[in-house]
Short mmCIF file of all heavy atoms in Angstrom, two decimals:
data_model
loop_
_atom_site.label_atom_id
_atom_site.label_comp_id
_atom_site.label_asym_id
_atom_site.label_seq_id
_atom_site.Cartn_x
_atom_site.Cartn_y
_atom_site.Cartn_z
N ALA A 275 28.51 -4.64 111.63
CA ALA A 275 28.90 -6.04 111.84
C ALA A 275 29.50 -6.67 110.58
O ALA A 275 30.06 -7.77 110.66
CB ALA A 275 27.70 -6.86 112.30
N THR A 276 29.40 -6.01 109.45
CA THR A 276 29.87 -6.62 108.20
C THR A 276 31.37 -6.52 108.05
O THR A 276 32.02 -5.63 108.61
CB THR A 276 29.18 -5.97 106.99
OG1 THR A 276 29.51 -4.58 106.91
CG2 THR A 276 27.67 -6.13 107.07
N GLU A 277 31.92 -7.42 107.24
CA GLU A 277 33.36 -7.49 107.01
C GLU A 277 33.63 -7.66 105.51
O GLU A 277 32.89 -8.36 104.81
CB GLU A 277 33.96 -8.69 107.76
CG GLU A 277 33.73 -8.66 109.26
CD GLU A 277 34.15 -9.96 109.92
OE1 GLU A 277 34.57 -10.90 109.19
OE2 GLU A 277 34.04 -10.07 111.14
N VAL A 278 34.70 -7.06 105.05
CA VAL A 278 35.11 -7.18 103.66
C VAL A 278 35.55 -8.62 103.36
O VAL A 278 36.10 -9.31 104.23
CB VAL A 278 36.26 -6.19 103.35
CG1 VAL A 278 36.90 -6.49 102.01
CG2 VAL A 278 35.74 -4.77 103.37
N ILE A 279 35.32 -9.09 102.15
CA ILE A 279 35.78 -10.41 101.72
C ILE A 279 37.23 -10.27 101.25
O ILE A 279 37.52 -9.88 100.11
CB ILE A 279 34.88 -10.97 100.60
CG1 ILE A 279 33.44 -11.11 101.12
CG2 ILE A 279 35.40 -12.31 100.09
CD1 ILE A 279 32.44 -11.52 100.07
N ALA A 280 38.14 -10.57 102.14
CA ALA A 280 39.56 -10.28 101.90
C ALA A 280 40.13 -11.06 100.72
O ALA A 280 41.01 -10.57 100.00
CB ALA A 280 40.37 -10.58 103.16
N GLU A 281 39.62 -12.26 100.48
CA GLU A 281 40.20 -13.09 99.41
C GLU A 281 39.78 -12.63 98.02
O GLU A 281 40.28 -13.16 97.02
CB GLU A 281 39.83 -14.57 99.62
CG GLU A 281 38.35 -14.88 99.56
CD GLU A 281 37.67 -14.88 100.92
OE1 GLU A 281 38.03 -14.03 101.76
OE2 GLU A 281 36.79 -15.73 101.13
N ASP A 282 38.88 -11.66 97.95
CA ASP A 282 38.42 -11.19 96.65
C ASP A 282 38.60 -9.67 96.53
O ASP A 282 37.75 -8.90 96.96
CB ASP A 282 36.95 -11.54 96.43
CG ASP A 282 36.42 -11.06 95.08
OD1 ASP A 282 37.23 -10.69 94.22
OD2 ASP A 282 35.18 -11.05 94.91
N PRO A 283 39.70 -9.22 95.96
CA PRO A 283 39.91 -7.78 95.82
C PRO A 283 38.94 -7.12 94.84
O PRO A 283 38.87 -5.90 94.77
CB PRO A 283 41.36 -7.68 95.29
CG PRO A 283 41.61 -9.00 94.62
CD PRO A 283 40.83 -10.00 95.42
N HIS A 284 38.19 -7.94 94.10
CA HIS A 284 37.23 -7.41 93.12
C HIS A 284 35.80 -7.49 93.63
O HIS A 284 34.86 -7.50 92.84
CB HIS A 284 37.36 -8.18 91.81
CG HIS A 284 38.73 -8.17 91.22
ND1 HIS A 284 39.31 -7.04 90.69
CD2 HIS A 284 39.66 -9.15 91.12
CE1 HIS A 284 40.52 -7.32 90.25
NE2 HIS A 284 40.77 -8.59 90.51
N SER A 285 35.63 -7.51 94.94
CA SER A 285 34.29 -7.64 95.52
C SER A 285 33.58 -6.30 95.63
O SER A 285 32.64 -6.16 96.43
CB SER A 285 34.38 -8.30 96.90
OG SER A 285 35.19 -7.52 97.77
N TRP A 286 33.98 -5.34 94.84
CA TRP A 286 33.34 -4.02 94.86
C TRP A 286 33.35 -3.47 93.43
O TRP A 286 34.06 -3.98 92.56
CB TRP A 286 34.11 -3.05 95.78
CG TRP A 286 35.42 -2.62 95.18
CD1 TRP A 286 36.56 -3.36 95.07
CD2 TRP A 286 35.70 -1.36 94.56
NE1 TRP A 286 37.54 -2.65 94.43
CE2 TRP A 286 37.04 -1.42 94.11
CE3 TRP A 286 34.97 -0.19 94.36
CZ2 TRP A 286 37.64 -0.35 93.46
CZ3 TRP A 286 35.57 0.87 93.70
CH2 TRP A 286 36.89 0.79 93.27
N LEU A 287 32.54 -2.45 93.21
CA LEU A 287 32.44 -1.86 91.88
C LEU A 287 31.79 -0.49 92.01
O LEU A 287 30.90 -0.28 92.85
CB LEU A 287 31.58 -2.75 90.98
CG LEU A 287 31.42 -2.36 89.51
CD1 LEU A 287 32.74 -2.48 88.76
CD2 LEU A 287 30.34 -3.23 88.86
N LYS A 288 32.26 0.47 91.21
CA LYS A 288 31.57 1.76 91.13
C LYS A 288 31.43 2.13 89.66
O LYS A 288 32.14 1.61 88.79
CB LYS A 288 32.34 2.85 91.88
CG LYS A 288 33.67 3.27 91.26
CD LYS A 288 34.30 4.40 92.07
CE LYS A 288 35.64 4.85 91.44
NZ LYS A 288 36.28 5.95 92.20
N GLY A 289 30.50 3.04 89.38
CA GLY A 289 30.29 3.45 88.00
C GLY A 289 28.96 4.14 87.84
O GLY A 289 28.38 4.66 88.80
N ALA A 290 28.46 4.13 86.62
CA ALA A 290 27.17 4.75 86.31
C ALA A 290 26.64 4.11 85.04
O ALA A 290 27.41 3.70 84.16
CB ALA A 290 27.32 6.26 86.13
N VAL A 291 25.33 4.03 84.94
CA VAL A 291 24.68 3.40 83.79
C VAL A 291 23.67 4.38 83.20
O VAL A 291 22.79 4.87 83.91
CB VAL A 291 23.95 2.11 84.19
CG1 VAL A 291 23.21 1.52 82.99
CG2 VAL A 291 24.91 1.10 84.78
N ARG A 292 23.81 4.65 81.92
CA ARG A 292 22.76 5.39 81.22
C ARG A 292 21.69 4.40 80.77
O ARG A 292 21.98 3.54 79.94
CB ARG A 292 23.30 6.14 80.01
CG ARG A 292 22.22 6.87 79.22
CD ARG A 292 22.70 7.35 77.87
NE ARG A 292 21.61 7.91 77.10
CZ ARG A 292 21.66 8.24 75.81
NH1 ARG A 292 22.81 8.06 75.14
NH2 ARG A 292 20.61 8.73 75.18
N PRO A 293 20.48 4.47 81.28
CA PRO A 293 19.44 3.55 80.81
C PRO A 293 19.10 3.85 79.35
O PRO A 293 18.80 5.00 79.00
CB PRO A 293 18.25 3.86 81.73
CG PRO A 293 18.84 4.57 82.92
CD PRO A 293 20.00 5.33 82.38
N LEU A 294 19.16 2.82 78.50
CA LEU A 294 18.85 3.05 77.09
C LEU A 294 18.45 1.76 76.39
O LEU A 294 18.71 0.66 76.87
CB LEU A 294 20.03 3.71 76.37
CG LEU A 294 21.40 3.02 76.37
CD1 LEU A 294 21.48 1.88 75.37
CD2 LEU A 294 22.50 4.03 76.06
N PHE A 295 17.78 1.94 75.28
CA PHE A 295 17.46 0.85 74.37
C PHE A 295 18.29 1.00 73.10
O PHE A 295 18.46 2.11 72.58
CB PHE A 295 15.97 0.91 73.95
CG PHE A 295 15.01 0.51 75.03
CD1 PHE A 295 14.58 1.44 75.98
CD2 PHE A 295 14.50 -0.77 75.09
CE1 PHE A 295 13.67 1.09 76.96
CE2 PHE A 295 13.60 -1.14 76.08
CZ PHE A 295 13.18 -0.21 77.02
N ARG A 296 18.81 -0.11 72.61
CA ARG A 296 19.46 -0.14 71.31
C ARG A 296 18.60 -0.94 70.33
O ARG A 296 17.69 -1.67 70.74
CB ARG A 296 20.86 -0.75 71.40
CG ARG A 296 21.84 0.10 72.21
CD ARG A 296 23.25 -0.43 72.12
NE ARG A 296 24.19 0.41 72.89
CZ ARG A 296 24.78 1.49 72.41
NH1 ARG A 296 24.54 1.87 71.14
NH2 ARG A 296 25.61 2.19 73.15
N ARG A 297 18.89 -0.77 69.07
CA ARG A 297 18.25 -1.62 68.08
C ARG A 297 18.72 -3.06 68.28
O ARG A 297 19.88 -3.30 68.61
CB ARG A 297 18.61 -1.16 66.67
CG ARG A 297 18.24 0.29 66.37
CD ARG A 297 16.74 0.49 66.32
NE ARG A 297 16.40 1.89 66.05
CZ ARG A 297 15.16 2.37 66.03
NH1 ARG A 297 14.15 1.56 66.29
NH2 ARG A 297 14.94 3.64 65.78
N GLY A 298 17.86 -3.99 68.06
CA GLY A 298 18.18 -5.39 68.35
C GLY A 298 19.06 -6.05 67.33
O GLY A 298 19.60 -7.13 67.58
N VAL A 299 19.23 -5.44 66.16
CA VAL A 299 20.05 -6.03 65.11
C VAL A 299 21.09 -5.02 64.63
O VAL A 299 20.80 -3.83 64.53
CB VAL A 299 19.17 -6.53 63.93
CG1 VAL A 299 18.42 -5.38 63.28
CG2 VAL A 299 20.00 -7.28 62.90
N GLY A 300 22.29 -5.49 64.41
CA GLY A 300 23.35 -4.69 63.81
C GLY A 300 23.92 -5.45 62.63
O GLY A 300 23.55 -6.61 62.38
N HIS A 301 24.82 -4.81 61.90
CA HIS A 301 25.40 -5.44 60.72
C HIS A 301 26.91 -5.25 60.71
O HIS A 301 27.41 -4.18 61.07
CB HIS A 301 24.77 -4.89 59.44
CG HIS A 301 23.33 -5.23 59.29
ND1 HIS A 301 22.32 -4.45 59.85
CD2 HIS A 301 22.72 -6.29 58.68
CE1 HIS A 301 21.15 -5.01 59.57
NE2 HIS A 301 21.37 -6.11 58.87
N THR A 302 27.61 -6.28 60.32
CA THR A 302 29.06 -6.20 60.18
C THR A 302 29.40 -5.46 58.89
O THR A 302 28.52 -5.14 58.07
CB THR A 302 29.68 -7.61 60.15
OG1 THR A 302 29.26 -8.27 58.94
CG2 THR A 302 29.24 -8.42 61.35
N ALA A 303 30.69 -5.25 58.69
CA ALA A 303 31.13 -4.54 57.48
C ALA A 303 30.71 -5.26 56.21
O ALA A 303 30.43 -4.63 55.18
CB ALA A 303 32.65 -4.37 57.51
N GLY A 304 30.61 -6.56 56.29
CA GLY A 304 30.20 -7.34 55.14
C GLY A 304 28.69 -7.50 55.00
O GLY A 304 28.23 -8.24 54.13
N GLY A 305 27.94 -6.84 55.89
CA GLY A 305 26.49 -6.88 55.80
C GLY A 305 25.82 -8.02 56.51
O GLY A 305 24.61 -8.23 56.38
N HIS A 306 26.57 -8.78 57.33
CA HIS A 306 25.99 -9.92 58.04
C HIS A 306 25.24 -9.44 59.29
O HIS A 306 25.80 -8.68 60.09
CB HIS A 306 27.08 -10.90 58.44
CG HIS A 306 27.90 -11.37 57.27
ND1 HIS A 306 27.40 -12.20 56.30
CD2 HIS A 306 29.19 -11.09 56.90
CE1 HIS A 306 28.33 -12.43 55.39
NE2 HIS A 306 29.43 -11.77 55.73
N PRO A 307 24.00 -9.88 59.49
CA PRO A 307 23.24 -9.44 60.66
C PRO A 307 23.70 -10.15 61.93
O PRO A 307 24.02 -11.34 61.92
CB PRO A 307 21.81 -9.84 60.32
CG PRO A 307 21.95 -11.02 59.41
CD PRO A 307 23.20 -10.77 58.61
N VAL A 308 23.76 -9.40 63.03
CA VAL A 308 24.09 -9.95 64.34
C VAL A 308 23.07 -9.42 65.34
O VAL A 308 22.53 -8.33 65.18
CB VAL A 308 25.54 -9.58 64.78
CG1 VAL A 308 26.55 -10.21 63.86
CG2 VAL A 308 25.72 -8.07 64.82
N ALA A 309 22.81 -10.21 66.38
CA ALA A 309 21.77 -9.88 67.36
C ALA A 309 22.38 -9.39 68.66
O ALA A 309 23.36 -9.97 69.15
CB ALA A 309 20.89 -11.10 67.62
N ALA A 310 21.79 -8.35 69.23
CA ALA A 310 22.21 -7.84 70.54
C ALA A 310 21.52 -8.64 71.64
O ALA A 310 20.33 -8.95 71.55
CB ALA A 310 21.86 -6.37 70.66
N LEU A 311 22.27 -8.95 72.70
CA LEU A 311 21.74 -9.74 73.81
C LEU A 311 22.13 -9.11 75.13
O LEU A 311 23.26 -8.64 75.31
CB LEU A 311 22.29 -11.17 73.74
CG LEU A 311 21.97 -12.11 74.90
CD1 LEU A 311 20.47 -12.36 75.00
CD2 LEU A 311 22.71 -13.44 74.75
N GLY A 312 21.22 -9.11 76.09
CA GLY A 312 21.51 -8.63 77.44
C GLY A 312 21.74 -7.14 77.49
O GLY A 312 21.03 -6.36 76.85
N ASP A 313 22.75 -6.72 78.26
CA ASP A 313 23.03 -5.30 78.42
C ASP A 313 23.42 -4.63 77.11
O ASP A 313 23.32 -3.41 76.97
CB ASP A 313 24.17 -5.10 79.43
CG ASP A 313 23.76 -5.41 80.85
OD1 ASP A 313 22.56 -5.52 81.11
OD2 ASP A 313 24.65 -5.56 81.70
N THR A 314 23.89 -5.41 76.14
CA THR A 314 24.20 -4.84 74.83
C THR A 314 22.93 -4.33 74.16
O THR A 314 22.97 -3.36 73.40
CB THR A 314 24.87 -5.90 73.94
OG1 THR A 314 26.05 -6.40 74.61
CG2 THR A 314 25.28 -5.32 72.60
N ALA A 315 21.80 -4.97 74.45
CA ALA A 315 20.53 -4.59 73.83
C ALA A 315 19.80 -3.52 74.64
O ALA A 315 19.36 -2.50 74.09
CB ALA A 315 19.64 -5.83 73.69
N VAL A 316 19.64 -3.76 75.93
CA VAL A 316 18.91 -2.84 76.81
C VAL A 316 19.73 -2.64 78.08
O VAL A 316 20.09 -3.63 78.73
CB VAL A 316 17.52 -3.37 77.18
CG1 VAL A 316 16.75 -2.31 77.97
CG2 VAL A 316 16.72 -3.77 75.94
N ALA A 317 20.02 -1.40 78.42
CA ALA A 317 20.76 -1.09 79.64
C ALA A 317 19.80 -0.46 80.64
O ALA A 317 19.14 0.54 80.34
CB ALA A 317 21.91 -0.13 79.34
N TYR A 318 19.69 -1.07 81.81
CA TYR A 318 18.84 -0.55 82.88
C TYR A 318 19.72 -0.03 84.02
O TYR A 318 20.76 -0.62 84.32
CB TYR A 318 17.98 -1.66 83.49
CG TYR A 318 17.09 -2.41 82.54
CD1 TYR A 318 17.54 -3.58 81.91
CD2 TYR A 318 15.79 -2.00 82.28
CE1 TYR A 318 16.73 -4.30 81.06
CE2 TYR A 318 14.96 -2.71 81.42
CZ TYR A 318 15.44 -3.86 80.82
OH TYR A 318 14.64 -4.58 79.98
N ASP A 319 19.29 1.04 84.66
CA ASP A 319 19.88 1.34 85.97
C ASP A 319 19.52 0.18 86.89
O ASP A 319 18.37 -0.30 86.88
CB ASP A 319 19.30 2.66 86.51
CG ASP A 319 20.00 3.10 87.78
OD1 ASP A 319 19.85 2.41 88.81
OD2 ASP A 319 20.69 4.13 87.77
N PRO A 320 20.46 -0.32 87.70
CA PRO A 320 20.17 -1.51 88.50
C PRO A 320 19.23 -1.31 89.68
O PRO A 320 19.02 -2.23 90.48
CB PRO A 320 21.55 -1.96 88.99
CG PRO A 320 22.52 -0.94 88.59
CD PRO A 320 21.86 0.08 87.74
#
Side-chain angles (χ1 to χ4, degrees):
T276 62
E277 302 171 357
V278 168
I279 299 174
E281 62 266 37
D282 180 14
H284 303 290
S285 59
W286 72 286
L287 183 67
K288 69 177 181 180
V291 177
R292 177 193 174 190
L294 57 78
F295 288 84
R296 293 188 179 274
R297 302 292 179 184
V299 62
H301 294 86
T302 67
H306 304 290
V308 295
L311 174 64
D313 289 345
T314 304
V316 186
Y318 304 91
D319 187 293

